[in-house]
Amino acid sequence: MIGYFFYKKINNFRVFIKTIVLCGFVSAVIHFIVLFSTGEIFSGSVEQVRDFSKDNFLELIAIFFLSYYKKFEGRPLFKFNTNTFFIFIILLLSCVLYFSRTMIIASIIILLSIHGYTYVTTRTIKVLGIVLLLLIGLYAYLFSVKIDRNKPGLETFLYKIKNAPSELFQTKIDRENHKDLWDHWRGYEAKRAFALMEEQPLSYIIGTGQGSLVNLKFEAPLTGENKKGLKLISELHNGYVYIFYKTGLIGLLILVYFLVSIYKKIYIIDNVNKFATVWVSAFGLIFLFTTLTITGIYNSRDIIIFLLGALLYFHKEGNNTIIEQE
């Protein structure tokens, strides 16, 4: 609602796009300042480089806003090409240095959306099939070679990619084996939530309540503020399990309906701001994915939800929105 009404008051699509790009650029500059001032960028360790932040969707969205604004609106966002190129390079390098698996998937979704491959046709099914085959090929390679999780550098990142599916879905975990536990932490959280729901069968329909907590059955070192660790947590990485646990099947169906409904905006082509519509649809798909990994719209650090509000306004207003005024 903040994003929607804030930019409804401004009513200028170009100002919105430029603001996000410049904010993303400032964020990227801060990212580099921190990496160089702390010396983390020279450490050779992916984990140390990621100490600043695990991801930054503001920068990711900014780089695509900058790159594709001209394609949809017919003119560049900035007057001088050198400015555009400089901002693009800074954003690109910063995004790469987050080494974020979620950002990689989001980038693929955005590219497919912008180029029309999320609008289901025979052609898009073929393209998505090719993307799926490439992913299968990548994982076939990763599982055919030995990757050391403890080695610094790129190998650590490749291990995280290799481990991603089992991290989410494997629930048979030895809690006493710390390596096994941390490699499959998301699965362990979900397992504990389902175990608690089994004690109250009605919770499958209406949930356990917004204030309910998940008992991990041990003190987990999840925060620096509590040296003893946390045994009870309120938020899970898997947003589908999180919403199911809190609000049951009713809440889960409402969430999925909302995300699918904004994805379907891509099928609306009359009297709309096409660039805004593409992004609204892309955000629906991104949330369908990020809800599985980082809680989606319920992530307290999420910036996409603010941008979604603004884009829903510009999508709704279509060609009546001011885009020429600087």
Side-chain angles (χ1 to χ4, degrees), residues 101-102 105-106 109 240 284-293:
R101 296 167 293 176
T102 309
I105 299 298
I109 292 172
Y240 294 109
L285 291 174
I286 288 172
F287 276 136
L288 281 167
F289 169 70
T290 60
T291 300
L292 187 64
T293 59

Side-chain angles (χ1 to χ4, degrees), residues 112 115-131 263 267:
L112 291 172
H115 290 281
Y117 292 113
T118 56
Y119 186 104
V120 178
T121 63
T122 303
R123 183 186 67 145
T124 59
I125 291 173
K126 290 178 180 178
V127 171
L128 293 175
I130 293 172
V131 172
Y263 152 68
Y267 295 95

Side-chain angles (χ1 to χ4, degrees), residues 5-24:
F5 288 111
F6 185 81
Y7 276 100
K8 179 180 180 181
K9 183 69 174 178
I10 294 174
N11 193 34
N12 191 313
F13 187 60
R14 184 179 176 83
V15 165
F16 164 68
I17 296 293
K18 185 174 285 189
T19 300
I20 301 307
V21 170
L22 292 176
C23 286

Side-chain angles (χ1 to χ4, degrees), residues 105-176:
I105 299 298
S107 299
I108 294 171
I109 292 172
I110 292 169
L111 280 171
L112 291 172
S113 298
I114 287 175
H115 290 281
Y117 292 113
T118 56
Y119 186 104
V120 178
T121 63
T122 303
R123 183 186 67 145
T124 59
I125 291 173
K126 290 178 180 178
V127 171
L128 293 175
I130 293 172
V131 172
L132 181 61
L133 286 174
L134 289 173
L135 286 174
I136 292 172
L138 171 64
Y139 273 93
Y141 167 75
L142 291 176
F143 279 98
S144 68
V145 296
K146 184 179 179 180
I147 301 175
D148 188 346
R149 72 191 299 273
N150 297 314
K151 269 196 173 182
L154 191 59
E155 195 161 348
T156 303
F157 183 59
L158 291 176
Y159 180 84
K160 284 182 170 292
I161 294 176
K162 177 181 178 179
N163 186 58
S166 62
E167 182 181 358
L168 288 170
F169 302 112
Q170 184 171 321
T171 57
K172 190 176 181 180
I173 301 160
D174 179 5
R175 194 170 67 239
E176 302 304 318

Side-chain angles (χ1 to χ4, degrees), residues 37-103:
S37 63
T38 59
E40 303 289 9
I41 197 168
F42 305 111
S43 67
S45 168
V46 169
E47 289 302 319
Q48 285 185 252
V49 170
R50 298 187 75 210
D51 274 347
F52 173 72
S53 180
K54 304 298 183 184
D55 55 53
N56 192 317
F57 287 95
L58 176 63
E59 293 178 25
L60 181 68
I61 292 164
I63 197 171
F64 282 103
F65 274 5
L66 178 67
S67 302
Y68 286 93
Y69 180 81
K70 183 178 179 180
K71 170 182 170 66
F72 285 86
E73 300 298 332
R75 61 173 178 154
L77 192 59
F78 295 99
K79 184 176 180 181
F80 300 106
N81 290 334
T82 51
N83 293 346
T84 300
F85 181 74
F86 178 70
I87 293 173
F88 175 84
I89 293 298
I90 295 298
L91 285 169
L92 178 63
L93 292 175
S94 180
C95 285
V96 169
L97 289 173
Y98 285 106
F99 294 104
S100 168
R101 296 167 293 176
T102 309
M103 287 175 68

